[in-house]
Every structure is written in C-alpha cells, then in structure tokens.
Amino acid sequence: MAEQVALSQTEVCGILREELYRGDAFHHSETHIFIIMGASGNLAKKKIYPTIWWLFRDGLLPEATFIVGFARSRLSMADIRKQSEPFFKATPEEKPKLEEFFARNCYVAGHYDDPASYQRLNSHVNALHQGSQANYLFYLALPPTVYEVVTKNISETCMSPTGWSRIILEKPFGKDLQSSDRLSNHIAALFREEQVYRIDHYLGKEMVQNLMVLRFANRIFVPIWNRNNIACVILTFKEPFGIEGRGGYFDEFGIIRDVMQNHLLQMLSLVAMEKPASTKSDDVRDEKVKVLKCITEVKAEDVVLGQYVGNPSGEGEATKGYLDDPTVPQGSTTATFAAAILYVKNERWDRVPFILRCGKALNERKAEVRLQFRDVAGDIFHQQCKRNELVIRVQPNEAVYTKLMTKKPGMFFNPEESELDLTYSSRYKNVKLPDAYERLILDVFCGNQMHFVRSDELREAWRIFTPLLHKIDHEKPQPISYVYGSRGPTEADELMKRVGFQYKGGYKWVNPHKL
C-alpha cells in the first residue's frame, strides 16, 4: 500500500505562503484593495466573501488587503456580515481573526449606471490606507446585463492611479457568438487582456488542474494518448437536484450554455491539447485555442436533449418536474439534460468521439473525465477482456483510477476487471483541498492567468455551439422526458453506443472509505 501523506492544513498553508513569497507572486508589503461589485447578492455572500475570508485566515493574502463591497442596496457592513458570515465555517477559536477580517471590510451603496456613485466609490477607496497607491481587484458578482455599464464606469473613474487594476468576470460571457463578441470588444476597448480574468470555476478544481500533470509529467501516458489507442472520451457533469427555483435564470440559458459550452469544453481542451512550451499562462492557453479551432461545429443529429419530469415514487422535490417549478415559463422547451458528440479534426484525435453529457435531477452528483481505450488486439482470453479505462473523478471524492484486467485470485486462470486506485482522501490524509474560488482568486492576486479564459478561447468555444443553440432557440424542439433521479434519457445511451462507447456494466468504482 502506498505511504499516506499526512499534512495539517497549517503546514499546507505555510508551504504555500513560502512559495508565494519566494516566487514574488505579489509584493507582500503593497496595499491591495478587493472590490466586490454586487456585494449584496447571493454569489457574493455564498462564495466571494467566504473565499476572501478563507484566504485571509490562512495568511495567503498580502498583509495590507482591504475589501470594499459595492451594490445598490442601502446596507451597512453589519448587514453584509450578517448575511455572509454563516457561510464562513469559522470556528470559535477563529473569532479574533474573524474580527480582524471584518475590520478590513467596508461597504459603499450606489447605482451601477450612475457615474457619481463610482466617484464616491473611488473617493472611498483612495481614503483607505495607501489607497491611491494600491493595486485594485474588481470582482463583478453581477448579472451579465450590467457588465457593459459597470466596466465602462470602472474604467473611467475607479482605476488605480499608480498600481495595477484587474477585473474578474463571471460567466456567462454572452449567450452566443455574436453577443460574446460584442462583450469582448467592449471589454477590449477598456482594458488590456492581461487585466481581464474570465472565471470558470471548474478550472480551479483540483482534478481539472491535475489533468496537465497527469498528461505531461508521466511517460507512460505519452505514447497511448492518441487515436490509435483511445476509442472515445466521455466528459460527464451530473447533479442530483433540479433547478430549485432558479427558473428565471436557467430557462433563459439552458443546460448547454450553463454547463456544456464552458465547464465540459474546458475539460475537453485540457484532455486534447498538445504539450505547451511551458506552464506560462499564454503558452497553455495557446494550445487550448489550437484544439478548439480543430473542433467542428456540433451537429443537431449528434445531440440528445432532455427535460426532467417528476418521479411518482420520489419524495419532496423529486416528485416535481421542471415545468412544475413556478419560476419556469409555462410550456418551456428548455433542456435540463444534453448529450453531444464532438470531434477534434487533427492528427492526434481524428475520428475519436468526445462525448459530453450534462444534466440536472439525475441519479447522482458526479463530474469526471473518462478515457475508454480500444479493445485488446488478438484477445486470447475468449472475449473476456473488457476495455481499459482511465478515469479522472473531479467531484465528489476526487480520484484517479484505471480500470484494467487482472487474474482472478485462486486456482483458475480467468481474467477479471479491477482497478489501480488513487483516491485523494485515502492517499492524502487530513489535507483539505482548497475550494476552486480560493485558487482562482489567489491567482488574480498573483497575476497568473493560466486558469482563466482568454478572449480568443472564448470565441472558439461559442463558435462550436452557436449554430446548434440558434437552431434550438428558433425551432424549440421538444426535449425527451426523463424521470427525476434517473440516468437521463435512454436515447443518450444509444447515442454513445452509436459512436463506439462500450458499457459492460460488470464493474463500478467504489469509494475505499465505504468498503
């Protein structure tokens, strides 16, 4: 059995601090001001404020860091604290540190389309300790509908006079190629590309970041990572709950825009790209763009759309379908499940199907990358050999495991399917994996754009899906019904079989902690 790695969270944070300061990721003595636009909203209270607190608690932020909230609501800092602190997960022992954190917080109320509000914000920021010489980070925890007016006012009024200014944008970055281009052109007229951080939180997940290390730091994978050995690649995103009252947002965008065009396509590009010249941000993103340029537009005949209905034998929310949610428009044809086949038209991946599957109200919570290898040539075991698979489980229970054939123990000479398993919770004892937002926000402080989406990368991603999305928006095809808590439409399984995926059903990975 492999030796377990047991590090405390304090030790992990100490190592990370040493690496940051030794690498001069940021000047630790400089003042940094983190400005949360939309500070009264759900994203801010559930994710952004807690993330900044965790980074502050672990000593990973520059010493002189201040947090300024900005929103339309007439709130006090006490109100912001009351609504966000329940998500901090702070222990009683951390109370003094928590008080120190909130002492560095303040709040300014204003309107997003009012230049005078930004002048007040700018005056407030400049009045902070060394505020006029500080570096500014603007997090837009806002609806995309106000991006243009907010970024225009920030650019004209609130940029740092002497330090650097960086802006973080949340998805969705437009609804199609045209709207995305319009937003990108607007942003490009106001900021340099190195100032813009388009955040896709999946790029901050441990196992997504591990894809590059697995691929390019292991000799055993180099000769087999191609069309000669890999039969298909399956990228999966499953959630066991429905939209839960978010119909206003979800019905406008749908599952393809919400998950497939961004999260799954980002993972695909990391699986399929060529080896970059280095781990520098643009070297990595150059290779991702090259892969995306090789992907042809997805065809309607290679897509299955589904919409969940209530489960009569379920309980609570499971008994309600998508159309039963009062926030969903009556008779909506928006898909809550999608399966699509993409092809990368280059030498490495010619004719290898990349199968993307995502959906809500399914049978489990899971995100993973699965590479299924081709059949063993010259099988001498009477067709008992099943295909090898390499699985990178992104969430939950982060793991890398390989399904392979081995001799069944005992007197008989029969092969059976087993696994080589690296489950993180078993191998790395007591190591807390950082939240994706922790990694990504720290990257913005450090000026590392590797795990953020570049404008040309975004454009290629929309190019692949826009014709299909326009066809769906115009024709409004009726999605296939599937029961809440099921695996999704059976037609999706048939689509996968059609392009060569083989499911034998004889083996399922089991979390070692449950054995």
Side-chain angles (χ1 to χ4, degrees):
M1 181 177 177
E3 181 184 358
Q4 293 176 339
V5 177
L7 292 175
S8 69
Q9 186 64 15
T10 301
E11 290 173 318
V12 171
C13 292
I15 293 169
L16 184 51
R17 279 195 296 273
E18 289 180 11
E19 290 178 352
L20 288 170
Y21 304 156
R22 184 171 61 247
D24 199 29
F26 43 65
H27 294 289
H28 200 59
S29 60
E30 290 183 350
T31 298
H32 293 72
I33 301 176
F34 190 88
I35 302 152
I36 304 174
M37 311 297 292
S40 62
N42 270 341
L43 178 63
K45 75 177 181 182
K46 292 182 179 179
K47 275 295 181 185
I48 311 309
Y49 275 109
T51 298
I52 293 295
W53 152 245
W54 295 328
L55 292 172
F56 177 82
R57 175 199 64 191
D58 294 337
L60 298 176
L61 295 179
E63 289 180 4
T65 296
F66 298 90
I67 302 95
V68 179
F70 180 87
R72 291 172 298 190
S73 304
R74 293 287 176 180
L75 301 174
S76 66
M77 195 57 229
D79 296 322
I80 295 290
R81 177 171 182 171
K82 183 179 179 180
Q83 68 181 25
S84 62
E85 191 174 342
F87 300 96
F88 281 26
K89 305 173 186 175
T91 64
E93 293 76 21
E94 292 169 343
K95 185 172 176 55
K97 192 77 174 178
L98 193 64
E99 296 302 323
E100 184 184 347
F101 171 75
F102 277 110
R104 294 166 180 255
N105 275 263
C106 50
Y107 179 80
V108 177
H111 294 283
Y112 299 128
D113 58 353
D114 175 29
S117 296
Y118 291 83
Q119 291 168 2
R120 288 200 308 275
L121 174 62
N122 190 55
S123 297
H124 186 90
V125 168
N126 283 329
L128 295 173
H129 173 68
Q130 294 184 345
S132 60
Q133 289 86 45
N135 301 316
Y136 297 171
L137 299 85
F138 295 89
Y139 198 113
L140 270 60
L142 295 165
T145 51
V146 298
Y147 276 4
E148 292 192 14
V149 66
V150 169
T151 51
K152 181 176 183 292
N153 280 303
I154 289 174
S155 174
E156 292 176 351
T157 310
C158 298
M159 302 291 279
S160 174
T162 58
W164 46 253
S165 298
R166 294 168 184 162
I167 185 164
I168 308 169
L169 301 175
E170 273 277 353
K171 77 172 185 71
F173 314 112
K175 287 188 66 177
D176 56 14
L177 179 58
Q178 292 73 27
S179 58
S180 177
D181 277 351
R182 184 166 59 249
L183 178 60
S184 291
N185 292 336
H186 170 82
I187 296 293
L190 303 174
F191 307 98
R192 301 185 307 277
E193 182 64 29
E194 59 265 28
Q195 293 178 291
V196 182
Y197 291 72
R198 297 172 191 84
I199 193 168
D200 181 335
H201 75 274
Y202 255 63
L203 290 175
K205 290 188 175 292
E206 178 72 29
M207 301 311 294
V208 175
Q209 295 193 355
N210 197 17
L211 275 167
M212 277 188 56
V213 178
L214 285 171
R215 281 202 59 191
F216 302 122
N218 292 291
R219 176 73 182 183
I220 59 173
F221 292 136
V222 173
I224 63 173
W225 210 273
N226 53 51
R227 69 178 192 275
N228 296 325
N229 298 284
I230 295 174
C232 54
V233 180
I234 306 96
L235 301 108
T236 301
F237 175 99
K238 300 168 75 174
E239 288 182 332
F241 49 84
I243 58 166
E244 299 182 332
R246 292 176 62 241
Y249 163 80
F250 187 86
D251 201 76
E252 181 183 356
F253 289 89
I255 195 70
I256 293 177
R257 289 184 174 97
D258 194 40
V259 176
M260 186 176 287
Q261 183 270 343
N262 38 72
H263 300 334
L264 293 187
L265 200 60
Q266 285 294 325
M267 290 197 291
L268 184 156
S269 65
L270 291 169
V271 170
M273 73 182 193
E274 298 298 318
K275 187 175 185 178
S278 73
T279 56
K280 292 180 180 177
S281 300
D282 279 337
D283 285 343
V284 173
R285 297 193 294 182
D286 285 347
E287 295 303 330
K288 289 170 69 180
V289 171
K290 287 179 186 176
V291 163
L292 294 175
K293 285 184 175 180
C294 294
I295 299 176
T296 53
E297 296 171 357
V298 62
K299 296 181 175 64
E301 57 266 30
D302 289 334
V303 176
V304 170
L305 302 176
Q307 185 185 90
Y308 67 88
V309 296
N311 187 341
S313 60
E315 297 179 359
E317 287 297 316
T319 62
K320 299 177 182 178
Y322 179 71
L323 297 179
D324 297 324
D325 192 301
T327 62
V328 173
Q330 189 174 5
S332 170
T333 58
T334 297
T336 60
F337 174 96
I341 312 298
L342 297 182
Y343 290 94
V344 181
K345 296 296 184 69
N346 64 12
E347 184 177 7
R348 180 182 294 272
W349 297 111
D350 189 36
R351 294 192 296 277
V352 175
F354 284 76
I355 304 166
L356 282 59
R357 297 188 305 165
C358 52
K360 292 182 174 294
L362 296 173
N363 61 326
E364 61 182 330
R365 175 175 177 256
K366 181 170 75 173
E368 69 176 22
V369 177
R370 182 178 298 262
L371 286 77
Q372 186 172 90
F373 291 85
R374 296 191 180 279
D375 294 320
V376 172
D379 183 2
I380 61 173
F381 295 100
H382 310 292
Q383 309 303 313
Q384 296 183 73
C385 293
K386 298 172 184 176
R387 286 182 169 180
N388 299 145
E389 292 184 349
L390 173 65
V391 182
I392 299 98
R393 181 180 285 265
V394 176
Q395 66 180 30
N397 303 315
E398 293 87 348
V400 181
Y401 63 96
T402 301
K403 291 169 64 173
L404 77 172
M405 302 305 297
T406 184
K407 178 187 172 296
K408 187 175 183 178
M411 296 294 291
F412 300 101
F413 195 62
N414 294 332
E416 72 169 0
E417 197 171 23
S418 187
E419 86 287 339
L420 296 176
D421 182 13
L422 168 58
T423 296
Y424 270 46
S425 58
S426 298
R427 179 70 175 87
Y428 301 104
K429 289 291 184 182
N430 303 321
V431 173
K432 170 189 168 290
L433 297 180
D435 180 82
Y437 278 89
E438 288 182 78
R439 300 175 194 273
L440 295 175
I441 288 178
L442 186 59
D443 276 346
V444 182
F445 275 91
C446 298
N448 177 16
Q449 291 184 302
M450 181 196 301
H451 306 298
F452 294 84
V453 181
R454 205 167 62 187
S455 59
D456 53 347
E457 185 180 349
L458 178 64
R459 190 176 200 286
E460 291 300 324
W462 278 119
R463 173 192 60 77
I464 294 165
F465 282 98
T466 290
L468 172 69
L469 291 169
H470 282 180
K471 183 179 177 67
I472 293 171
D473 292 343
H474 177 69
E475 298 180 5
K476 298 188 181 303
Q478 187 64 42
I480 301 164
S481 297
Y482 64 95
V483 175
Y484 196 122
S486 68
R487 295 183 64 251
T490 56
E491 287 82 352
D493 294 331
E494 294 302 319
L495 176 68
M496 295 174 64
K497 291 178 184 176
R498 192 188 86 200
V499 297
F501 174 73
Q502 292 185 12
Y503 177 68
K504 301 295 185 182
Y507 174 85
K508 183 176 176 62
W509 176 81
V510 178
N511 185 348
H513 283 296
K514 295 183 179 180
L515 291 176

